[in-house]
Amino acid sequence: MPPPPDSGPATPFDALPSPLDAVPELRAAARWMIAAFGAVGAALIGVGPLVAVGRVHGLGDALVAGAALLLALAGVCLAIWQVSRVLEPPVTTTATLADPAVRGLRELIDAAPADFFGSAATGVDDLLRHRAVAANIQRAIAAEPDPRRRELLRHHLARARANVGRTDPYVRWLLAMTHVWQVRAALRTARRWCLLAVLLVTAGAVAFLTATGK
């Protein structure tokens, strides 16, 4: 991946697609998974009771068949519930970068910051510090009674704002990438839950067929 430009109005990785372009694809995969498990649930609800009619003899077998059907449906509901979380738009701010879900992204960037930020910053924290510096100076100006010191602080504030303007394109790219990383992490988590859901559906289906096939 080529490094972003060190100066000028162009945004980082300007020649490449925006990271946000990946979000619709990730959510399309989530919708496909929901549709697949929904079809399984519809089959269980529609076919299961019909299969059981006339094949269940005694209260014990009926309870086993009912419990097995509920177990399979619980697996379907678990999968749909977890995958649907991918469709929830996450709130992404600079504070999100401290979330364990995006730790891999931070480690990737901090391992080779020049590949992502050029000479603009030596890491994620260094990139974000300019905003904090500008905010601190602004507060100091508001609380400073001495006109001369206030004028000096305004000079520092101008420099801090210049740094913010220089690094803002990189911050916007970083937030976009963080947003995608959150959706990606949610989809990965949903896939793990889906594996558990498949086991529940399989166990329920086997128990149901066993109870109704005696």
Side-chain angles (χ1 to χ4, degrees), residues 95-198:
T96 308
L97 291 162
D99 195 301
V102 297
R103 182 182 304 163
L105 175 62
R106 287 200 58 150
E107 292 175 350
L108 178 67
I109 294 174
D110 287 338
D115 292 341
F116 294 90
F117 305 142
S119 60
T122 59
V124 173
D125 291 333
D126 185 44
L127 181 72
L128 300 177
R129 70 182 176 87
H130 299 294
R131 288 186 174 190
V133 168
N136 290 335
I137 295 175
Q138 186 67 56
R139 285 193 293 268
I141 292 174
E144 180 56 59
D146 188 340
R148 287 182 298 180
R149 295 191 62 183
R150 194 160 52 241
E151 186 61 31
L152 179 61
L153 287 172
R154 287 196 182 98
H155 174 71
H156 291 312
L157 179 61
R159 293 183 58 186
R161 285 175 173 171
N163 288 331
V164 170
R166 178 175 57 87
T167 57
D168 254 0
Y170 299 89
V171 174
R172 288 194 296 270
W173 175 87
L174 179 60
L175 291 178
M177 182 61 77
T178 303
H179 186 85
V180 175
W181 206 273
Q182 287 178 280
V183 177
R184 175 175 173 264
L187 183 59
R188 284 190 167 186
T189 301
R191 285 173 176 169
R192 288 193 290 268
W193 280 105
C194 284
L195 291 177
L196 175 60
V198 168

Side-chain angles (χ1 to χ4, degrees), residues 9-105:
T11 57
F13 311 104
D14 191 51
L16 299 177
S18 168
L20 296 176
D21 291 345
V23 173
E25 300 296 332
L26 293 171
R27 288 180 173 156
R31 291 189 185 94
W32 181 88
M33 294 167 67
I34 290 174
F37 275 96
V40 172
L44 289 172
I45 295 174
V47 179
L50 294 177
V51 172
V53 173
R55 295 190 178 184
V56 177
H57 304 286
L59 180 60
D61 286 346
L63 291 175
V64 171
L69 190 59
L70 287 176
L71 178 63
L73 290 175
V76 171
C77 293
L78 175 64
I80 293 176
W81 175 267
Q82 291 297 328
V83 176
S84 65
R85 297 180 63 184
V86 181
L87 304 179
E88 299 175 2
V91 177
T92 306
T93 66
T94 54
T96 308
L97 291 162
D99 195 301
V102 297
R103 182 182 304 163
L105 175 62

